[in-house]
Amino acid sequence: MKTAFHTLGCKVNQYETEAMQKLFTAAGYELTNEVESADVVVVNTCTVTALSSQKSRQIIRRSARANKNAVMVVVGCYAQSEPEKISQIDGVDIIIGTKDRMRIVELVEECFKNRGKKILQVGEVENISEFEELPHTPQRTRAFLKIEDGCNNFCSYCIIPLVRGRVRSRSLENIRAECLELKKNFFKEIVLTGIHIGAYGRDFHEKISLVDAVKTVLETAEPLRLRLGSIESVEMTDELIDLMKNDSRICNHLHLPLQSGSDEILKAMRRPYTTKNFSDLTARLVKEIPEISIGTDLIVGFPGETEKNFEETINFLQTQPFSKIHVFPFSAREGTLAAGMKNQIDSQTKKNRVEKVLEIAKSKEKIFAEKLIGRMVEIISETEENNFIDGLTKNYIRVYVPSNQEIKLGEIVRVKIEKLFRNGVAGEFVK
């Protein structure tokens, strides 16, 4: 029996897909990339924006048409948010939300016994208090390690707390156990991931924070590199910054969501900081952590965002040391405060604003990458395609080097950077 997966969305979804793949292989299934020949097709969905939901629906329909005989499973955030709409798509057999992934094989087996019976496994998530432990073996060169699920922020635009529930932290004991497996399998880079990792430990009675999780991973897995996933700027504590400064294994790279460069819009978004708070932090990080790269997320066209507000955002972006900017047009999500706000912005204005931000993003990305030209860097080789091997520097620049028999995937590779290339830089392999 063969199982095919299609994963949309964030690193948390990628981790959860890898865990579900392990559940299937443990039950005797074989993994395949070919939907047409699979007995089971699993689509792990995303719903963070309206476009994400649309893409999820497209993949579900396409997969169902490609293989009408397979058991079709739809799982994840979009499945949690709109199960009724999914159940109307021809070919869908099982719908699982965001809290019963551990039962996926059991539900598939039940479906095989009762073909034609649709299974809906989507429950309420508001009162979930326990982190869902899933067996996990990374399928990539870099190992994702999920330490937390859920979010308590309830920003006015965000649907994620409604489909993921509140913060549930993974115990240090279970983090340690997975780290021992990662160490056995010689993973050189570990990426900490979760929905709101900066809130790690807040649901525990003991005084435990993200710093404790980071120290546990460093001490147990002993990776060459540890990379933090997206973290809120207000959660960059003195202790965490000091740890990044003093342990060279922690990558000098952070993703700090800004969302707007206008204080008026930040307040409407229910973001817990001002542009000055954010700017003070980035200035400190650049001063204290050598060659740090800082990425961010930005939403344009939020309800009520005037030309003056948008100009404030543009001006603020120009002052910030960003190496990457991910920009999204505001997407009204049913059930959020922002969806019902007055003064919604038209789609053309949002599109124009996205384009203006993208110009700044490309410029900043180029300026940051150009600093590497002529220098020697180290990457962990990740993938090989079209006669190039690529990998990331510690500060998250994608590096390409011509394929070479001496380079093995997953190994440290030294490269002398020669030029800008694709979405990063390219250089020559150095023995």
Side-chain angles (χ1 to χ4, degrees), residues 158-332:
C158 188
I159 195 173
I160 296 305
L162 305 180
V163 297
R164 284 276 179 175
R166 293 180 174 272
V167 169
R168 286 99 66 201
S169 303
R170 191 177 191 183
S171 71
L172 291 177
E173 180 184 356
N174 287 338
I175 290 174
R176 195 173 290 114
E178 185 162 343
C179 283
L180 289 173
E181 290 301 310
L182 295 177
K183 183 178 180 181
K184 272 188 212 173
N185 290 288
F186 306 106
F187 282 96
K188 293 180 174 61
E189 180 173 322
I190 295 173
V191 184
L192 291 195
T193 189
I195 300 300
H196 185 187
I197 66 169
Y200 176 84
R202 284 186 195 167
D203 52 323
F204 291 151
H205 296 300
E206 314 97 299
K207 193 176 179 182
I208 292 174
S209 71
L210 177 60
V211 167
D212 297 291
V214 170
K215 287 180 177 178
T216 297
V217 176
L218 290 171
E219 291 164 4
T220 312
E222 298 182 340
L224 291 176
R225 293 181 183 177
L226 176 62
R227 197 178 297 277
L228 299 180
S230 179
I231 183 170
E232 295 291 349
S233 56
V234 292
E235 286 150 3
M236 287 301 301
T237 61
D238 291 344
E239 192 177 6
L240 185 56
I241 294 171
D242 287 343
L243 191 58
M244 289 186 72
K245 281 168 55 179
N246 297 322
D247 196 316
S248 61
R249 293 174 295 174
I250 303 176
C251 292
N252 51 345
H253 161 242
L254 287 170
H255 189 88
L256 305 172
L258 170 64
Q259 307 304 8
S260 178
S262 163
D263 287 334
E264 183 181 348
I265 298 301
L266 286 174
K267 187 175 181 181
M269 288 178 164
R270 297 178 64 175
R271 301 290 288 170
Y273 52 85
T274 64
T275 51
K276 185 179 188 307
N277 299 147
F278 195 96
S279 187
D280 288 347
L281 172 66
T282 57
R284 178 184 174 186
L285 291 170
V286 168
K287 181 180 178 182
E288 297 192 25
I289 301 174
E291 299 184 330
I292 189 170
S293 69
I294 301 173
T296 197
D297 294 327
L298 197 79
I299 296 171
V300 296
F302 187 83
E305 184 187 60
T306 63
E307 286 298 331
K308 178 177 178 289
N309 296 143
F310 181 62
E311 198 60 35
E312 288 170 346
T313 290
I314 291 294
N315 293 338
F316 187 72
L317 290 178
Q318 299 283 19
T319 69
Q320 291 303 290
F322 293 132
S323 56
K324 286 190 184 297
I325 302 172
H326 299 287
V327 58
F328 305 90
F330 168 74
S331 179

Side-chain angles (χ1 to χ4, degrees), residues 16-225:
E16 289 164 354
T17 285
E18 290 172 348
M20 288 185 286
Q21 287 173 331
K22 185 165 184 178
L23 289 169
F24 275 103
T25 55
Y29 288 74
E30 180 185 329
L31 300 179
T32 178
N33 293 321
E34 297 178 2
V35 170
E36 295 78 6
S37 64
D39 300 287
V40 182
V41 177
V42 182
V43 181
N44 192 1
T45 60
C46 177
T47 193
V48 68
T49 65
L51 182 60
S52 302
S53 297
Q54 181 185 333
K55 285 182 177 177
S56 294
R57 286 193 298 274
Q58 288 171 345
I59 294 297
I60 295 164
R61 289 194 182 100
R62 190 186 309 158
S63 300
R65 285 195 301 266
N67 188 340
K68 295 182 179 179
N69 296 318
V71 168
M72 171 66 64
V73 187
V74 180
V75 63
C77 291
Y78 180 56
Q80 182 70 40
S81 68
E82 298 196 61
E84 295 83 9
K85 196 173 278 189
I86 295 169
S87 68
Q88 294 169 13
I89 298 175
D90 287 343
V92 173
D93 297 293
I94 303 172
I95 303 169
I96 304 172
T98 56
K99 69 170 192 173
D100 285 309
R101 287 167 289 254
M102 192 69 187
R103 294 188 58 200
I104 188 168
V105 176
E106 170 198 338
L107 295 173
V108 165
E109 299 286 358
E110 182 182 329
C111 187
F112 275 125
K113 292 175 184 174
N114 300 284
R115 288 311 299 263
K117 178 189 173 187
K118 194 159 289 195
I119 297 174
L120 188 65
Q121 191 68 34
V122 180
E124 299 295 327
V125 295
E126 302 91 70
N127 299 317
I128 304 175
S129 58
E130 296 293 322
F131 181 89
E132 182 186 28
E133 285 291 339
L134 294 165
H136 180 250
T137 300
Q139 304 292 321
R140 302 161 187 264
T141 305
R142 296 188 299 145
F144 297 143
L145 177 59
K146 182 181 170 186
I147 63 168
E148 177 274 342
D149 206 340
C151 181
N152 294 350
N153 277 357
F154 290 91
C155 299
S156 64
Y157 54 83
C158 188
I159 195 173
I160 296 305
L162 305 180
V163 297
R164 284 276 179 175
R166 293 180 174 272
V167 169
R168 286 99 66 201
S169 303
R170 191 177 191 183
S171 71
L172 291 177
E173 180 184 356
N174 287 338
I175 290 174
R176 195 173 290 114
E178 185 162 343
C179 283
L180 289 173
E181 290 301 310
L182 295 177
K183 183 178 180 181
K184 272 188 212 173
N185 290 288
F186 306 106
F187 282 96
K188 293 180 174 61
E189 180 173 322
I190 295 173
V191 184
L192 291 195
T193 189
I195 300 300
H196 185 187
I197 66 169
Y200 176 84
R202 284 186 195 167
D203 52 323
F204 291 151
H205 296 300
E206 314 97 299
K207 193 176 179 182
I208 292 174
S209 71
L210 177 60
V211 167
D212 297 291
V214 170
K215 287 180 177 178
T216 297
V217 176
L218 290 171
E219 291 164 4
T220 312
E222 298 182 340
L224 291 176
R225 293 181 183 177

